[in-house]
Amino acid sequence: MVWPPIILTTNMNSEDSNSPSLNAPTFLETSTYSSRTKKLLSLINTLRDSGAHIDLDLPTVVVCGNQSAGKSSLLEGLCGITLPRGDGTCTRCVTEVRLSDSASQRPNQSKEWSCSIKLRFEFDVQGRALGKHKEVVFKSDITEKSELELWVRRAQKAVLNPNSDANKFLDVKFENSAKFRDKDAKSNELKFSRNIVCLEIRNSGVNLTLIDLPGIIRSVESREDSQYIDLIQDLVHTYIKKDRTIVVATITCKDEIENQAIVNWSKEIDPYGLRTIGVLTKPDTIEAATHDKWVSILLGHHYNLKLGYWMVLNPSKADLDRGVTLEEARKMEAEFFSTAVPWVSLSSQYGHRFGTEHLRNELSRQLSISIDSCIPDMKLKTEEFLQKTNTEIMKLPPRINKENARYELINLIRQFCSNVGNNISAHLEFKEFYQKVKGHFEVFKQNVMDTRPVFVFDEKKAGGSSSSSLMPSLPSLLPSFLSSSDDSKRSSTLKQKQNSPTSPSLNREDLIDVSRPISLSDLRMVIESQKGRELQGYTPYSAFEFMVLSFQKHWAKFAAQCVLNISSELHLLTSKLVDESFGRFANLQGKLRFILQVYQSEIYRKTLDALTTLIQMERKSPFTMNTEDFARLKSEALVDFKSIYESRPSGTGMPGGSIYPQTQGKDSLNRAVSALHDIGYTNVTPQALLSKLSPTTPVLDEIFQIISSTDGYFSISSKRYVDNVPMTIDFTFLEAFKNGIESESLQKLGVLKSASGENYLEDEGGIEYLLKEGVEVEEKRKQLEETRERLSSVWKSLNEFGF
């Protein structure tokens, strides 16, 4: 990738150099601009304290670079403090330094330099972000700069041991030996932490907030520490990739610029150098005859950055060992740039690019510009996030009032039971459940209607066998109370009767298979098997009962299947409503599911008993008080079947004459019927007249009697059964469940006292246990409420800014 060159022109820099007040260290503290800067930096610190950086991209100055690039010395120079050095905790914690000058302090505060240290925990032990950060005051009002290094080191140790009380580390002593540092590092719970040690320095002479990240490492001594290479890389990327982060890329002149990771990373996240400031450190280590390369970089001719490069000189390790103070270090830096070649020749035009003081002022200026420009957008984003959070909270069910937990639980149960009742009653918009129930009723009705016997007078159509519709009854799959105890004997009994040389004799158990057409031969066998002393021409009543039992054979199974299907639908309904009503209360949900299952099973058994009674009444003996309807249906069936019999092709069925008229005789038949109408017999039809006139035999009379009686009674009994079964299921099962579910639930849960007093929860602890929200709902509610609280504080700070 090729980055567009942005060259610092002589005119631009001449203009800068002609503004001596900008180069003066006191510019930011003495101008009107300074007052605005203080307010802006104070705002961003307030927002960060509120946790705004969790939701918003806050303007931030981040100091980062390779390990040993002089980053710690740079931070010390910028902040005017001494920080821990060397291996150990200092390389494994994020440090945030907030600088404020004396003018920003409240009137009653001291004007002397002071520092407070806070620990800000934004991540848990596993490195997962917390919904709400925790900030702990570790040490307040440190007034001696010489003590700060020790206190920072103690604070870093507290961060690396998050499961211990931070106060435990207030008196920790440290030694400077490498052996001690290694032992101390191994004693920590964590070797690395994303959490932050925050320094608030007052009366520092400048308003600026910096975040110092651990130095980028490429290799480690032990294999177990190799994980920290990726961890630090991820941490640095997390901070510098944000669009409002000003990256202070610390680049040592002691190494080739191409070898320094921060240079490449900065190009990746900021290709045009719009928010990256390059800081060249250790210029005193540049080898002879290689200065031109670094001059070219400083002037922006190579590795160009829009914000440009600064060069600083900080004390070396030898200087520190001999006790060089910060004030002495700044004098040494100024003397170096005013005398060393080639930097002295550039000071007239680029003097503002040399020295820590100029860099600090520029960082403060850039940060305030960034803050000022993004306030409107931060307001808008905060309002959007706050509205979204409120919407998410509104979607959650309301929090239970623990002071009135029993009353709350009763209301929840009653609301749930009302929803169940509305679905069973198909009230208002709750139609779906009962539509499914009606669908099962329709299937049941069709199954019953499909058992209507079909009579044929052509033996070939009936299957060609005189016993084609007679079947051995298979053992029933229904419960014992819905079947006969003699089922296992039927098959062998029927075979014996079919193979007997004498006339067949069928018992009531040897029923006809009504799913196949029933022939005249089948009917003759039924009639003959049921005859006792009856004379020829008299149809035995038991033959009619036999036919009724045949078409009713599977009615019990149809009813049982119907109530089973509806019971399954009810179980699905209650399970769904339990999830919707009590999904957040895992304890209540589980217990109520069990109570409802037991209660439904109890009512289901009672319903099966009621259906058993119905079928037993149907099968006991044919009965109806609608004798007129039965007589009419039987008469109509007799006429219809005789007509069908007379219209059969010749040579089929049983012998018997036919007087069915040919085409030329139809006019005469119609005249005869018309004459009967004239004398008052208005109900006579041509078919009825022919059936009366048709010659029959006693055998045919018996067959037609059994056919017409069976068909007529099927119409009566089937209509009665397809009404009674759904009505029984609706009343004994669904209605009973609806009416009893509330009292059953409240008593079994122990919310209300039953007559026996069993299961009653005397104390509120049991109620609170039932109403304890599930972990997911509780955590989600907590997270959203913390987010709302945080965003509300941010919104307030943003809208109050400037007043």
Side-chain angles (χ1 to χ4, degrees):
M1 185 178 201
V2 178
W3 288 270
I6 304 177
I7 307 300
L8 294 175
T9 64
T10 302
N11 292 336
M12 180 184 69
N13 289 291
S14 296
E15 183 179 344
D16 290 344
S17 63
N18 291 330
S19 303
S21 60
L22 182 62
N23 291 332
T26 59
F27 170 75
L28 291 175
E29 285 72 43
T30 60
S31 66
T32 304
Y33 175 80
S34 173
S35 176
R36 177 72 173 175
T37 300
K38 295 167 190 172
K39 292 179 181 179
L40 290 169
L41 292 175
S42 177
L43 170 65
I44 213 68
N45 289 337
T46 301
L47 294 180
R48 199 176 297 278
D49 286 340
S50 302
H53 57 288
I54 297 174
D55 308 292
L56 302 175
D57 183 6
L58 297 181
T60 307
V61 175
V62 174
V63 181
C64 49
N66 284 18
Q67 194 176 49
S68 302
K71 186 172 58 65
S72 296
S73 296
L74 173 63
L75 191 67
E76 288 180 343
L78 290 171
C79 302
I81 58 176
T82 302
L83 295 174
R85 291 173 174 272
D87 297 331
T89 57
C90 62
T91 62
R92 305 192 183 187
C93 292
V94 179
T95 304
E96 179 180 317
V97 184
R98 300 177 181 180
L99 304 170
S100 61
D101 70 0
S102 57
S104 64
Q105 303 305 305
R106 292 189 292 271
N108 60 343
Q109 284 187 320
S110 171
K111 304 301 180 181
E112 300 299 323
W113 182 97
S114 65
C115 178
S116 296
I117 301 178
K118 295 180 181 179
L119 311 179
R120 191 165 69 240
F121 295 92
E122 299 180 359
F123 301 87
D124 61 15
V125 178
Q126 285 75 36
R128 295 172 300 198
L130 300 173
K132 182 179 182 180
H133 73 259
K134 181 178 70 172
E135 197 165 80
V136 178
V137 176
F138 184 73
K139 177 63 177 176
S140 59
D141 296 329
I142 302 170
T143 57
E144 295 295 332
K145 288 186 179 182
S146 59
E147 297 178 0
L148 185 59
E149 179 181 358
L150 174 61
W151 282 109
V152 171
R153 194 168 179 183
R154 288 170 174 171
Q156 290 172 341
K157 189 167 182 64
V159 166
L160 293 174
N161 294 274
N163 292 322
S164 300
D165 185 355
N167 293 326
K168 174 182 175 182
F169 305 99
L170 293 175
D171 300 320
V172 173
K173 307 289 185 185
F174 297 98
E175 297 178 15
N176 289 326
S177 67
K179 182 178 180 180
F180 175 82
R181 287 196 298 268
D182 291 340
K183 181 180 179 181
D184 181 63
K186 291 179 180 178
S187 68
N188 296 325
E189 295 174 22
L190 304 174
K191 290 191 175 183
F192 176 85
S193 177
R194 292 174 177 266
N195 292 317
I196 302 168
V197 173
C198 184
L199 310 182
E200 294 186 354
I201 301 175
R202 294 173 290 276
N203 302 312
S204 64
V206 72
N207 292 287
L208 179 63
T209 297
L210 301 169
I211 293 179
D212 179 38
L213 301 179
I216 301 168
I217 54 177
R218 289 301 190 183
S219 62
V220 290
E221 292 183 4
S222 62
R223 180 179 299 177
E224 63 178 11
D225 288 341
S226 60
Q227 59 178 315
Y228 298 120
I229 296 176
D230 293 334
L231 284 173
I232 293 175
Q233 177 176 335
D234 180 64
L235 177 66
V236 173
H237 272 282
T238 300
Y239 274 89
I240 69 174
K241 70 181 181 181
K242 297 177 181 178
D243 291 337
R244 291 183 180 140
T245 294
I246 298 172
V247 180
V248 179
T250 309
I251 304 166
T252 175
C253 296
K254 195 174 182 178
D255 191 9
E256 296 294 334
I257 191 171
E258 296 86 354
N259 298 333
Q260 303 189 50
I262 191 59
V263 175
N264 296 322
W265 293 359
S266 298
K267 286 182 179 179
E268 291 176 4
I269 54 93
D270 184 25
Y272 300 105
L274 300 178
R275 55 184 181 86
T276 302
I277 292 179
V279 179
L280 306 178
T281 65
K282 303 183 181 182
D284 55 334
T285 64
I286 298 175
E287 296 181 4
T290 62
H291 286 78
D292 289 348
K293 175 180 65 175
W294 294 104
V295 170
S296 178
I297 293 172
L298 179 66
L299 299 181
H301 297 162
H302 293 89
Y303 298 95
N304 179 261
L305 298 174
K306 180 67 175 177
L307 298 183
Y309 288 86
W310 269 253
M311 182 174 282
V312 299
L313 177 69
N314 288 307
S316 65
K317 186 176 186 303
D319 294 331
L320 294 173
D321 289 342
R322 62 186 179 86
V324 171
T325 65
L326 293 173
E327 291 76 10
E328 291 173 339
R330 297 287 68 83
K331 289 179 181 179
M332 291 169 57
E333 181 182 46
E335 183 178 355
F336 174 80
F337 288 118
S338 63
T339 59
V341 177
W343 318 120
V344 63
S345 62
L346 299 174
S347 60
S348 60
Q349 285 187 316
Y350 301 103
H352 65 285
R353 300 275 177 165
F354 295 125
T356 303
E357 288 291 340
H358 291 152
L359 172 62
R360 183 169 66 173
N361 293 339
E362 179 63 15
L363 292 176
S364 180
R365 188 176 74 89
Q366 290 293 341
L367 181 58
S368 62
I369 291 172
S370 178
I371 297 170
D372 209 2
S373 65
C374 70
I375 287 178
D377 182 64
M378 286 195 294
K379 283 183 180 180
L380 181 61
K381 285 286 197 309
T382 302
E383 290 172 357
E384 290 177 356
F385 291 152
L386 192 56
Q387 182 178 3
K388 182 180 178 181
T389 303
N390 284 327
T391 301
E392 290 297 316
I393 291 176
M394 291 294 292
K395 290 180 181 179
L396 292 176
R399 190 189 297 276
I400 295 297
N401 181 6
K402 292 185 178 181
E403 295 180 359
N404 224 347
R406 189 181 298 269
Y407 177 76
E408 293 276 2
L409 179 54
I410 291 174
N411 281 343
L412 286 173
I413 296 295
R414 284 177 175 168
Q415 182 61 45
F416 163 75
C417 295
S418 175
N419 289 339
V420 173
N422 287 336
N423 278 273
I424 291 177
S425 302
H427 185 62
L428 298 176
E429 72 273 17
F430 302 96
K431 310 294 185 185
E432 183 180 356
F433 171 74
Y434 197 74
Q435 288 172 355
K436 294 178 181 178
V437 170
K438 283 182 66 177
H440 293 299
F441 286 159
E442 291 292 340
V443 172
F444 163 75
K445 175 184 177 181
Q446 190 59 49
N447 287 336
V448 172
M449 291 304 172
D450 287 343
T451 62
R452 176 185 288 274
V454 177
F455 301 101
V456 295
F457 303 119
D458 187 343
E459 295 293 342
K460 293 181 181 179
K461 292 182 179 179
S465 171
S466 62
S467 60
S468 61
S469 294
L470 291 171
M471 66 172 184
S473 298
L474 298 177
S476 176
L477 298 178
L478 296 174
S480 58
F481 53 77
L482 294 179
S483 61
S484 171
S485 61
D486 296 330
D487 282 342
S488 59
K489 303 177 183 178
R490 294 177 185 170
S491 180
S492 59
T493 303
L494 181 61
K495 289 181 180 178
Q496 292 174 3
K497 293 171 182 175
Q498 288 176 336
N499 296 331
S500 173
T502 60
S503 65
S505 176
L506 299 177
N507 294 323
R508 288 166 63 98
E509 292 81 3
D510 304 315
L511 305 178
I512 288 182
D513 182 3
V514 295
S515 65
R516 296 187 237 173
I518 301 173
S519 68
L520 298 182
S521 299
D522 291 329
L523 294 172
R524 284 189 62 191
M525 182 179 294
V526 171
I527 293 170
E528 293 303 321
S529 69
Q530 300 300 319
K531 275 190 176 181
R533 292 178 174 270
E534 292 88 353
L535 298 177
Q536 192 71 27
Y538 288 90
T539 305
Y541 188 74
S542 59
F544 166 61
E545 289 181 314
F546 184 90
M547 293 301 299
V548 170
L549 290 175
S550 294
F551 67 67
Q552 290 179 347
K553 176 178 176 60
H554 296 299
W555 283 12
K557 180 178 70 175
F558 299 152
Q561 187 62 51
C562 182
V563 72
L564 177 62
N565 292 339
I566 291 173
S567 180
S568 297
E569 296 289 357
L570 182 60
H571 176 71
L572 292 175
L573 172 67
T574 54
S575 296
K576 174 187 173 185
L577 293 179
V578 165
D579 289 343
E580 292 176 355
S581 303
F582 311 108
R584 57 178 170 147
F585 308 117
N587 299 329
L588 175 59
Q589 185 183 27
K591 192 165 185 178
L592 190 59
R593 278 182 182 276
F594 177 75
I595 291 172
L596 295 178
Q597 187 175 354
V598 171
Y599 184 56
Q600 182 176 333
S601 298
E602 178 185 336
I603 296 180
Y604 175 74
R605 287 192 296 271
K606 291 180 180 179
T607 306
L608 282 180
D609 291 341
L611 294 177
T612 300
T613 301
L614 279 182
I615 194 61
Q616 286 175 344
M617 289 190 296
E618 288 290 347
R619 292 172 67 87
K620 178 178 178 294
S621 179
F623 177 83
T624 181
M625 291 297 294
N626 296 319
T627 52
E628 293 181 358
D629 286 343
F630 177 62
R632 175 181 56 78
L633 292 168
K634 178 181 176 182
S635 176
E636 291 174 356
L638 181 63
V639 170
D640 291 339
F641 283 114
K642 278 190 174 182
S643 298
I644 294 171
Y645 177 76
E646 290 297 332
S647 63
R648 75 194 187 286
S650 59
T652 61
M654 303 187 73
S658 174
I659 61 169
Y660 221 91
Q662 302 300 317
T663 303
Q664 62 270 23
K666 287 185 177 180
D667 292 340
S668 300
L669 177 61
N670 291 332
R671 285 197 297 272
V673 171
S674 178
L676 289 172
H677 287 178
D678 291 340
I679 61 175
Y681 296 99
T682 56
N683 293 329
V684 177
T685 63
Q687 291 80 6
L689 179 60
L690 286 176
S691 67
K692 294 292 184 182
L693 299 175
S694 297
T696 60
T697 63
V699 173
L700 279 176
D701 284 340
E702 291 176 348
I703 290 175
F704 282 131
Q705 283 297 319
I706 195 70
I707 289 176
S708 59
S709 298
T710 300
D711 190 77
Y713 189 72
F714 178 87
S715 297
I716 292 288
S717 61
S718 63
K719 290 178 181 179
R720 177 175 61 209
Y721 193 64
V722 297
D723 281 340
N724 285 342
V725 167
M727 289 174 66
T728 300
I729 294 174
D730 191 35
F731 182 78
T732 309
F733 185 59
L734 295 178
E735 193 69 17
F737 185 85
K738 181 187 79 172
N739 294 337
I741 184 176
E742 182 177 318
S743 61
E744 184 74 11
S745 299
L746 291 173
Q747 289 182 11
K748 286 295 193 301
L749 286 171
V751 183
L752 295 180
K753 187 178 290 187
S754 62
S756 63
E758 186 179 2
N759 297 326
Y760 182 65
L761 298 175
E762 294 284 355
D763 62 351
E764 296 302 313
I767 301 295
E768 290 184 10
Y769 171 78
L770 292 176
L771 291 178
K772 182 177 176 58
E773 288 187 317
V775 176
E776 290 185 6
V777 177
E778 190 174 356
E779 285 297 321
K780 185 174 182 180
R781 185 194 303 281
K782 180 181 177 183
Q783 182 182 12
L784 288 172
E785 289 178 346
E786 288 175 350
T787 301
R788 180 170 63 182
E789 181 183 354
R790 181 175 65 246
L791 289 170
S792 297
S793 177
V794 171
W795 183 86
K796 182 179 179 182
S797 298
L798 286 169
N799 282 274
E800 289 179 350
F801 178 71
F803 292 95

